[in-house]
Amino acid sequence: MRTQSKLYVYVTISAILLAIIAVWSLNIGVYDFGGKPAFEVLGKMIKNDPDLALSDRYVIWDVRAARIIMAILIGSMLAVSGTGLQGLFKNPLATGDLIGLTSGATLLAAVTIVLGGHFRQYLPEAVQFSLVGIAAFIGSFLSMLLVYRISTNGGKTNVVMMLLSGVAITAIGFSITGFLIYISKDDQLRDLTFWNLGSLAAATWTKNIILTIVLLISYFILLPKGKALNAMMLGEKDAQHLGINVERLKKQIIIITALMIGSCVAFSGTIGFVGLIVPYILRLLFKSDYAFILPLSAIFGSILLLTADTFSRSIVEPSELPIGILTALMGGPIFISILIKFKKSLS
């Protein structure tokens, strides 16, 4: 009971921090609201003030607020997917972008962007609207399935094989994506550049609704798995003795992770290292207690990506720095530090 109340305290504090960052982010931007703070303009919009300019309403709601919500949703899902994979494989390097999931999602999204015009008209209208998202999910799921099949033998997952197969899948994915970039037209090339560098500039409320549905379904299944992942740290046989259905747990995490990463890639492109940075920081604070790490990663992932996105659109105003560049700059040193720690443990 005491552990649960501690978790509530940490969640509340981090949620307040996220709200403060969201208000700060709402006020950051080139557009000037006539000297008024952005949240005051938002308040007028909510009250349906007739004197509020249409341009102010559009910028505050359809541009900034939609983008902030997308950053919160995508950051949260990327962090939770990384945490879930690391718990499943019992390794801090197991994240979607390092084991090929992001590459697989990007590849099929790229195939749809470049070649989709040849078959899009034969599909139902509802499928046409979300074709890139469906393709990204399928690519992510197939990559996860392939990595799992290659790295697992006799019910045991070999971490080295997992990372090597992820590297191979990533190399194949980027090579085919490179070929698609070569044969693409100008408008397709712009879309492919967006996927490869990552951006939240195309945020809309329709996309946020879809992401929210994916998040709610995924978290309903995944967030209660903290104790099961703690048991998995003891080994699969010990987890089975504790009453954990190991194979079912694996399948659930694989499918849910593929769904979350595929959805994120479909709407924001490739944003790497969020699933590596957040669990690493939380493990420093709470060791490997996934009952704490899983729910907290959902909030800290939002904090990380929202902060990174706010800087990405303010560092080089009025232009915008692709957010994937910032997250890679943050994640690279952490990745190296994990490798150094792993090297020390071997010696």
Side-chain angles (χ1 to χ4, degrees):
M1 194 70 177
R2 189 176 296 173
T3 304
Q4 201 71 16
S5 58
K6 265 188 184 179
L7 178 60
Y8 289 143
V9 171
Y10 290 130
V11 168
T12 303
I13 293 171
S14 53
I16 292 170
L17 177 61
L18 177 60
I20 292 169
I21 294 171
V23 171
W24 166 66
S25 180
L26 196 65
N27 280 282
I28 300 295
V30 179
Y31 187 84
D32 184 21
F33 294 102
K36 298 188 293 289
F39 58 84
E40 184 181 320
V41 178
L42 180 62
K44 286 184 177 181
M45 198 209 75
I46 293 171
K47 292 176 183 175
N48 202 20
D49 189 337
D51 296 328
L52 185 64
L54 288 175
S55 58
D56 289 355
R57 186 188 299 269
Y58 173 76
V59 170
I60 201 71
W61 185 250
D62 292 314
V63 178
R64 291 192 190 174
R67 184 166 180 154
I68 287 168
I69 297 301
M70 180 173 276
I72 289 171
L73 294 170
I74 288 179
S76 182
M77 285 194 282
L78 289 176
V80 170
S81 65
T83 305
L85 286 174
Q86 289 170 24
L88 176 65
F89 288 111
K90 300 184 284 294
N91 189 278
L93 298 177
T95 62
D97 42 308
L98 293 177
I99 64 172
L101 271 69
T102 304
S103 173
T106 304
L107 171 59
L108 282 202
V111 169
T112 306
I113 290 169
V114 177
L115 304 176
H118 297 291
F119 57 83
R120 190 184 294 267
Q121 65 268 26
Y122 301 111
L123 299 173
E125 192 172 333
V127 176
Q128 288 182 32
F129 176 73
S130 54
L131 186 59
V132 177
I134 293 169
F137 166 66
I138 294 171
S140 177
F141 178 75
L142 291 176
S143 298
M144 180 75 260
L145 202 60
L146 190 57
V147 167
Y148 182 72
R149 292 287 185 189
I150 293 172
S151 60
T152 303
N153 185 29
K156 293 183 178 179
T157 303
N158 186 303
V159 174
V160 175
M161 286 293 293
M162 175 196 69
L163 293 174
L164 290 176
S165 58
V167 169
I169 289 169
T170 300
I172 294 168
F174 281 133
S175 65
I176 299 173
T177 304
F179 173 72
L180 291 170
I181 289 172
Y182 179 75
I183 65 170
S184 62
K185 299 173 184 176
D186 287 345
D187 57 333
Q188 296 169 344
L189 185 60
R190 282 193 296 271
D191 288 340
L192 288 172
T193 303
F194 158 76
W195 293 115
N196 285 325
L197 294 178
S199 174
L200 301 176
T204 65
W205 287 106
T206 302
K207 292 177 181 178
N208 285 341
I209 290 170
I210 295 170
L211 286 170
T212 301
I213 293 169
V214 172
L215 181 144
L216 292 174
I217 293 170
S218 302
Y219 285 9
F220 178 77
I221 297 171
L222 198 57
L223 288 189
K225 305 297 182 190
K227 291 182 179 179
L229 288 174
N230 285 342
M232 287 287 285
M233 296 297 291
L234 303 172
E236 291 185 10
K237 288 187 178 178
D238 289 331
Q240 284 177 334
H241 289 315
L242 291 171
I244 306 297
N245 189 332
V246 173
E247 288 306 313
R248 184 184 175 192
L249 179 66
K250 286 179 181 178
K251 289 175 183 176
Q252 285 178 335
I253 292 177
I254 287 171
I255 293 171
I256 293 301
T257 300
L259 175 63
M260 288 194 291
I261 291 176
S263 302
C264 292
V265 171
F267 294 137
S268 67
T270 306
I271 300 176
F273 289 103
V274 175
L276 179 77
I277 299 169
V278 174
Y280 176 78
I281 294 171
L282 290 175
R283 259 194 303 273
L284 293 177
L285 298 173
F286 304 107
K287 304 301 180 185
S288 291
D289 187 354
Y290 285 93
F292 271 83
I293 294 175
L294 262 181
L296 286 176
S297 65
I299 302 177
F300 276 88
S302 299
I303 291 172
L304 174 67
L305 195 62
L306 180 56
T307 304
D309 183 58
T310 305
F311 278 112
S312 76
R313 59 186 175 87
S314 59
I315 290 174
V316 288
E317 288 182 347
S319 189
E320 179 183 322
L321 187 70
I323 193 171
I325 295 174
L326 279 182
T327 55
L329 282 173
M330 289 187 289
I334 289 178
F335 183 64
I336 291 170
S337 69
I338 293 173
L339 291 177
I340 292 171
K341 188 180 289 187
F342 182 67
K343 180 183 174 182
K344 288 179 180 177
S345 69
L346 291 176
S347 60

